[in-house]
Amino acid sequence: MFPPVSLDVGTAIKTLVLTLDLLGTFVFALSGAVAGVRRRLDLFGVLVLSFVAANSGGIVRDVLIGATPPAAIRDWRYLAASLLAGAMIFFWYPNIRRLRSPVLVFDAAGLALFCVAGAQKALVFGLSPVMAALLGMLTGVGGGVARDVLLSEIPAVLRSDIYAVAALAGAAVLVSGDALGLPGTVSACAGAALCFGLRLAAIKLDWHQPVARAARQAPDDAAAAARRDGR
Amino acid sequence: MFPPVSLDVGTAIKTLVLTLDLLGTFVFALSGAVAGVRRRLDLFGVLVLSFVAANSGGIVRDVLIGATPPAAIRDWRYLAASLLAGAMIFFWYPNIRRLRSPVLVFDAAGLALFCVAGAQKALVFGLSPVMAALLGMLTGVGGGVARDVLLSEIPAVLRSDIYAVAALAGAAVLVSGDALGLPGTVSACAGAALCFGLRLAAIKLDWHQPVARAARQAPDDAAAAARRDGR
Amino acid sequence: MFPPVSLDVGTAIKTLVLTLDLLGTFVFALSGAVAGVRRRLDLFGVLVLSFVAANSGGIVRDVLIGATPPAAIRDWRYLAASLLAGAMIFFWYPNIRRLRSPVLVFDAAGLALFCVAGAQKALVFGLSPVMAALLGMLTGVGGGVARDVLLSEIPAVLRSDIYAVAALAGAAVLVSGDALGLPGTVSACAGAALCFGLRLAAIKLDWHQPVARAARQAPDDAAAAARRDGR
């Protein structure tokens, strides 16, 4: 009945999502660049790590669902946001280092947005709800995994606190809302809020996930096994 | 002439293949979970490693041949088998550890099945026989490679005994049978049996592949080179 | 007017490009095999590293632009060139080791060719100029990155001298020529020549890229950070 208005709302939401998406990209790129500077990579290496940390999750998701070329490669703004973050860290690292706590908050915001947006896109491409939720989680954590693999480390997300779980929870809310027929914006906001809240609470309260009993009870045994495995 | 009967046979074979496929997924997921528990990953990390070890080979194959979204992401049963194996290891690791020898046998069965099924699928998607055999091998060994890369290790398959070679032999039998016009089930069974037999013999008889003469003759030199390379 | 002649020219260029492409594959495969022999991988591992180092860049590019199955998997000659290089290194490593300087020159030639060919293919698949240049660079450096990740090392290209930058410059020349409407062969030759020249100059003159001020000024701090990060 009022298409101009609904168009305006749609445009406003699209602009909001794009803004948040680029902000998430920027923040994740910061994390990649900081890791690169600490390992003393050169300028090129730092920029590559910025791009990889910010965009790998989305790229892998798009390749898996058959949406090639991936958005991060089709739209120059993701590249620009990544390179800007990488250059800022490279040249101003000592000053930015002090901002650790704001960076963690931004990172939680990026994670919240990426998990919701990733699950939404997977649903659009016809994946089942469970897989869409997992791909949403992958969108959120994939960049950090790729960053750590390139730096020859065990991905932090595999052994740290409530990070991937928060992303999965947020994606699950979006997918459930879709299954229940709720409007997309409502479930997207609820999912992002849940992920963001869980992540902040985990940081604040120092929540951790359980480690297998065997490893806990017999640290020497586990260490010996690790040594025997070659490290 | 007897479509109901042939349908029954076809259904029985399909059920058999799916059962074996899921069993292979389960066994490979066990190997990923054990590696994760030894490195003291948390529950989420162990489940991720289970899924990665069981499904990466098939996912990479499907992405390469353009069969997106990959079967492991479209069919929830692969996910369920992976998570079940991961959870079992996480909670009962000390008891399962005693079963090392059965696990090796299951692992050989999983490898035999995956290499044959992977080569078959690549043929269906129109790849040349040589490449189909290699993709069959990749289906078998890819999960283990991804598991080791995530754990920041040199993939075991690159430097251990007759593992990838057994997978390649099994896949080659299937591809040759297809080129000779044999019925698919015959060459599939022959290929899987060859891979399984080779793998068991390699474990039993402790077969190894040759290492380059240079590295054998001059271990100090090779070690020095490795050190010079940065590790 | 003279289609036979233009056909002959086209065929000659195609043959030239294919020859250069296979030569580049061969040289990159040499680098992968040498890395594998130094780490004492077995024959299979060395052959895998040869193939990975020579073809990963192109495979990832083809997957990203949706050109599946990738050329390296569709055309057996890339596989043959890779395996030949791997076998030569495996069996004759002590003799080939002396050829370090020729290998570096061939490697520069391979990089020059791959970056130009990769950018060209990305343009054909409709990517924007900036992304085509980046995918050209990825085609050139991707194989080396995959090789180092499999060997559990930080990719050399992330922290060494003018390597990726040379590839990016070559790809940028090709893309700019395309945007300006120059004939493809001219900009391809100019791009390849620039990349080749930059790379040789970097080797000859020992050029390096800058490292972030923070890491330079406070090596102890950076090392401590690296140690704290778990290495």
Side-chain angles (χ1 to χ4, degrees):
Chain A
M1 242 175 169
F2 298 103
V5 173
S6 95
L7 185 78
D8 280 4
V9 172
T11 308
I13 287 178
K14 254 193 176 163
T15 308
L16 176 71
V17 167
L18 180 67
T19 307
L20 289 175
D21 212 7
L22 289 175
L23 194 68
T25 302
F26 182 80
V27 174
F28 278 0
L30 288 181
S31 82
V34 166
V37 167
R38 282 199 182 157
R39 292 320 185 78
R40 316 186 69 177
L41 302 187
D42 60 22
L43 176 57
F44 170 77
V46 169
L47 293 180
V48 166
L49 268 192
S50 306
F51 185 80
V52 163
N55 297 289
S56 298
I59 288 177
V60 171
R61 176 203 60 209
D62 286 353
V63 166
L64 289 180
I65 63 179
T68 51
I73 284 181
R74 225 173 17 209
D75 186 336
W76 62 271
R77 285 173 291 198
Y78 295 96
L79 174 69
S82 307
L83 297 187
L84 179 65
M88 280 176 58
I89 291 289
F90 189 81
F91 291 111
W92 299 328
Y93 176 61
N95 309 321
I96 288 169
R97 201 159 27 161
R98 281 179 224 129
L99 305 177
R100 184 165 177 274
S101 158
V103 165
L104 277 179
V105 173
F106 279 130
D107 181 76
L111 185 71
L113 183 86
F114 274 24
C115 71
V116 164
Q120 179 70 60
K121 186 161 186 181
L123 283 178
V124 169
F125 274 73
L127 280 140
S128 72
V130 171
M131 285 305 170
L134 286 172
L135 281 177
M137 182 189 78
L138 174 69
T139 308
V141 308
V145 170
R147 175 198 65 203
D148 292 347
V149 165
L150 279 185
L151 290 176
S152 196
E153 285 171 11
I154 299 183
V157 71
L158 289 186
R159 55 171 157 195
S160 74
D161 31 48
I162 311 297
Y163 193 91
V165 169
L168 185 58
V173 166
L174 179 114
V175 166
S176 311
D178 182 81
L180 296 172
L182 298 183
T185 37
V186 171
S187 45
C189 291
L194 176 63
C195 172
F196 188 65
L198 273 176
R199 189 69 200 114
L200 285 195
I203 295 170
K204 207 88 182 171
L205 308 176
D206 205 27
W207 282 345
H208 289 288
Q209 273 191 81
V211 168
R213 197 160 47 88
R216 265 203 329 266
Q217 288 188 340
D220 291 350
D221 180 57
R227 227 176 299 125
R228 205 183 321 126
D229 289 357
R231 230 131 107 109
Chain B
M1 241 173 165
F2 298 103
V5 173
S6 94
L7 185 79
D8 280 6
V9 172
T11 309
I13 288 179
K14 252 192 177 164
T15 309
L16 177 70
V17 166
L18 181 66
T19 308
L20 289 175
D21 212 8
L22 289 174
L23 195 68
T25 301
F26 182 80
V27 174
F28 278 179
L30 288 181
S31 82
V34 167
V37 167
R38 283 200 183 157
R39 292 319 186 77
R40 316 187 70 178
L41 302 187
D42 61 22
L43 175 56
F44 170 77
V46 169
L47 294 180
V48 166
L49 267 193
S50 307
F51 185 80
V52 163
N55 296 291
S56 298
I59 288 177
V60 170
R61 177 204 60 210
D62 287 353
V63 166
L64 288 180
I65 64 180
T68 50
I73 284 181
R74 222 169 23 206
D75 187 337
W76 63 272
R77 285 173 292 199
Y78 294 96
L79 174 69
S82 308
L83 296 187
L84 180 65
M88 281 176 57
I89 292 289
F90 188 80
F91 292 112
W92 300 328
Y93 177 61
N95 310 320
I96 288 169
R97 202 160 26 161
R98 284 178 222 126
L99 305 177
R100 183 165 178 273
S101 158
V103 165
L104 276 180
V105 174
F106 279 130
D107 181 76
L111 185 71
L113 183 86
F114 274 24
C115 71
V116 164
Q120 180 70 60
K121 186 161 186 181
L123 283 178
V124 169
F125 274 73
L127 280 141
S128 71
V130 171
M131 286 305 171
L134 286 172
L135 281 177
M137 182 189 79
L138 174 68
T139 308
V141 308
V145 170
R147 176 197 65 204
D148 293 347
V149 166
L150 279 185
L151 290 175
S152 196
E153 284 171 11
I154 298 183
V157 71
L158 289 186
R159 55 170 157 197
S160 75
D161 30 47
I162 311 296
Y163 193 91
V165 169
L168 185 57
V173 166
L174 179 116
V175 165
S176 311
D178 182 82
L180 296 172
L182 297 182
T185 38
V186 171
S187 44
C189 291
L194 175 63
C195 172
F196 188 65
L198 273 177
R199 189 70 200 114
L200 285 195
I203 295 170
K204 208 88 181 173
L205 307 176
D206 206 25
W207 282 344
H208 289 288
Q209 275 191 78
V211 169
R213 198 160 47 88
R216 265 202 329 269
Q217 288 188 341
D220 290 351
D221 180 57
R227 227 175 301 123
R228 206 183 320 127
D229 287 357
R231 228 141 106 94
Chain C
M1 239 174 170
F2 297 103
V5 173
S6 95
L7 185 78
D8 280 6
V9 171
T11 309
I13 287 177
K14 253 191 176 163
T15 309
L16 177 69
V17 166
L18 181 67
T19 309
L20 288 174
D21 212 7
L22 289 174
L23 195 68
T25 302
F26 182 81
V27 174
F28 278 180
L30 288 182
S31 82
V34 166
V37 167
R38 283 199 182 157
R39 292 318 186 78
R40 316 187 70 178
L41 302 187
D42 61 22
L43 175 56
F44 170 77
V46 169
L47 293 180
V48 166
L49 267 193
S50 307
F51 184 80
V52 163
N55 297 290
S56 297
I59 288 176
V60 171
R61 177 204 59 209
D62 287 354
V63 166
L64 288 180
I65 64 179
T68 51
I73 284 181
R74 225 171 19 208
D75 187 336
W76 63 270
R77 285 173 292 199
Y78 295 95
L79 175 68
S82 307
L83 297 187
L84 180 65
M88 281 176 57
I89 292 288
F90 189 81
F91 292 111
W92 299 328
Y93 176 59
N95 309 322
I96 288 169
R97 201 160 26 161
R98 282 178 224 127
L99 304 177
R100 183 164 179 275
S101 157
V103 165
L104 277 180
V105 174
F106 279 130
D107 181 76
L111 185 71
L113 184 86
F114 274 25
C115 71
V116 164
Q120 179 70 59
K121 187 161 185 181
L123 283 178
V124 169
F125 274 73
L127 280 141
S128 72
V130 171
M131 286 305 171
L134 286 172
L135 281 176
M137 182 189 77
L138 174 69
T139 308
V141 308
V145 170
R147 177 198 65 204
D148 293 347
V149 165
L150 278 185
L151 290 175
S152 197
E153 284 170 11
I154 299 182
V157 70
L158 289 186
R159 55 170 157 197
S160 74
D161 29 48
I162 311 296
Y163 193 91
V165 169
L168 186 57
V173 166
L174 179 114
V175 166
S176 311
D178 182 82
L180 297 172
L182 297 183
T185 38
V186 171
S187 46
C189 291
L194 175 63
C195 172
F196 187 65
L198 272 177
R199 188 71 200 114
L200 285 195
I203 295 170
K204 208 86 181 177
L205 307 176
D206 206 27
W207 282 345
H208 289 289
Q209 276 190 77
V211 169
R213 198 158 48 89
R216 266 205 326 270
Q217 288 187 341
D220 291 350
D221 179 58
R227 226 175 302 123
R228 206 182 322 126
D229 288 358
R231 253 189 31 134

